[in-house]
């Protein structure tokens, strides 16, 4: 396969991944976007898409070789730590260049009342005894970390319903961002929320909840991002597109 026709693999599942796919398709760069297949009705990027795991590091390395991939952009969510680590190892094995596209984290302002925690289990420890009416936005896969907490009521906001154990007192709210400040204020007021629990995903699409919490003087348990392997990074889709354009 001639080098210019070799595809760029985008590991996706984020808005940035979709933005990058759209930009590359627009300028005629062959792209294959990969989704894990967790969401029932995913927002699909432009261009070719494949869905499902690769089968660990060896499976991904094999896939890169079989498809003669030119470069990989890992644009997965900042908390998708397994696939990010696998991409580093698999690209090294296959001799393929790798860029990590990762949006910047949120940083607290003067009005924010954040309790920063290193992981989801510590977030659950913080909630037990601190909040009585909790807005939980850590996602479907992390809701079970709060299952043992009977001392609080949880409004669990998810795209698809959680399948694991859940806390005794809860309501499931199915929705998908982006969210507007006025709606977040209304939600938190109407449910008398007194604690917000979120991962530090960063980005604009879900930032309004933090502003709403600050305006309502609601504290936030903020789960810090996992540490990532040191690879070249870009913070925006356009910076990643520039990196692809500079590949030789
Ligand atoms: P993870 O724990 O890092 O990865 C677990 C396994 O899922 C990987 O080993 C891989 O399976 C498969 N996988 C993950 N992302 C993949 C992708 N883009 N394409 C193909 N296979 C993928 O992942 P996760 O945290 O469950 O996240 C799954 C997906 O949801 C990611 O694409 C991520 O961008 C998106 N997402 C995650 C979060 C979050 O909070 N974690 C939030 C929003 C969106 P194999 O080992 O079989 O290859």
């Amino acid at each position: 396969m001639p080098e210019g026709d070799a595809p760029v693999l985008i590991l996706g599942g984020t808005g940035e991944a979709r933005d990058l796919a759209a930009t590359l398709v627009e300028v005629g760069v062959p792209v294959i976007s990969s989704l894990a297949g967790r969401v029932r009705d995913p927002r699909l990027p432009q261009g070719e898409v494949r869905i499902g795991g690769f089968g660990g590091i060896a499976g991904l390395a094999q896939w890169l070789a079989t498809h003669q991939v030119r470069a990989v952009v890992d644009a997965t969510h900042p908390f998708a730590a397994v696939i990010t680590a696998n991409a580093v190892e698999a690209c090294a094995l296959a001799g393929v260049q790798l860029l990590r596209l990762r949006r910047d984290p949120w940083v607290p302002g003067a009005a924010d009342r954040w309790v920063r925690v290193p992981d989801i289990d510590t977030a659950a420890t913080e909630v037990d005894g601190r909040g009585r009416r909790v807005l939980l936005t850590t996602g479907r896969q992390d809701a079970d970390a709060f299952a043992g907490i009977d001392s609080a009521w949880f409004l669990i906001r998810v795209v698809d319903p959680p399948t694991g154990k859940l806390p005794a007192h809860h309501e499931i709210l199915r929705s998908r961002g982006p969210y507007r400040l006025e709606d977040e204020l209304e939600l938190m007021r109407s449910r008398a929320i007194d604690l917000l629990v979120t991962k530090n995903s960063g980005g604009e699409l879900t930032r309004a909840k933090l502003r709403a919490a600050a305006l309502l003087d609601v504290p936030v348990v903020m789960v810090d991002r996992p540490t990532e392997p040191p690879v070249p990074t870009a913070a925006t889709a356009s910076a990643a597109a520039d990196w692809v354009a500079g590949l030789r």
Side-chain angles (χ1 to χ4, degrees):
M1 187 183 288
E3 193 151 286
D5 291 342
V8 172
L9 174 67
I10 301 175
L11 298 171
T14 59
E16 289 79 6
R18 289 189 294 276
D19 289 347
L20 176 62
T23 304
L24 296 183
V25 166
E26 175 97 351
V27 297
V29 174
V31 163
I32 303 174
S33 292
S34 176
L35 303 179
R38 300 271 192 283
V39 178
R40 211 174 286 162
D41 179 23
R43 285 183 182 139
L44 291 176
Q46 288 182 41
E48 193 176 330
V49 177
R50 67 162 301 284
I51 297 180
F54 295 94
I57 295 166
L60 178 52
Q62 181 64 53
W63 197 96
L64 297 175
T66 305
H67 292 80
Q68 296 184 276
V69 167
R70 185 176 170 205
V72 175
V73 178
D74 170 14
T76 57
H77 190 270
F79 282 81
V82 177
I83 188 71
T84 289
N86 286 1
V88 173
E89 298 290 332
C91 284
L93 280 173
V96 172
Q97 295 184 73
L98 170 67
L99 179 75
R100 174 68 169 124
L101 168 53
R102 184 186 53 215
R103 62 181 94 120
D104 289 332
W106 294 314
V107 285
D112 290 304
R113 293 173 57 201
W114 287 13
V115 180
R116 292 178 59 176
V117 294
D119 52 45
I120 202 78
D121 290 333
T122 317
T125 307
E126 276 296 330
V127 169
D128 205 4
R130 183 183 281 270
R132 286 172 301 132
R133 296 186 61 84
V134 180
L135 173 56
L136 183 64
T137 66
T138 50
R140 182 169 74 94
Q141 297 181 92
D142 290 319
D144 62 352
F146 300 84
I149 301 176
D150 295 340
S151 60
W153 174 87
F154 291 82
L155 179 59
I156 303 174
R157 185 160 72 183
V158 280
V159 177
D160 286 329
T163 50
K165 284 188 182 167
L166 294 175
H169 314 293
H170 73 266
E171 174 188 337
I172 301 289
L173 175 61
R174 289 186 63 186
S175 76
R176 175 143 62 183
Y179 299 102
R180 299 181 312 167
L181 176 60
E182 53 266 46
D183 297 330
E184 296 293 55
L185 283 168
E186 166 58 22
L187 180 72
M188 292 170 75
R189 281 195 186 112
S190 68
R191 305 300 211 289
I193 296 298
D194 62 14
L195 186 68
L196 168 64
V197 181
T198 179
K199 299 193 277 199
N200 195 338
S201 301
E204 294 307 315
L205 303 185
T206 58
R207 187 198 284 271
K209 63 190 169 191
L210 301 177
R211 183 84 188 111
L215 287 169
L216 299 173
D217 203 25
V218 166
V220 177
V221 174
M222 179 66 73
V223 183
D224 280 338
R225 294 175 170 194
T227 308
E228 294 193 2
V231 297
T233 58
T236 62
S238 75
D242 289 346
W243 180 85
V244 171
L247 287 171
R248 288 191 293 141

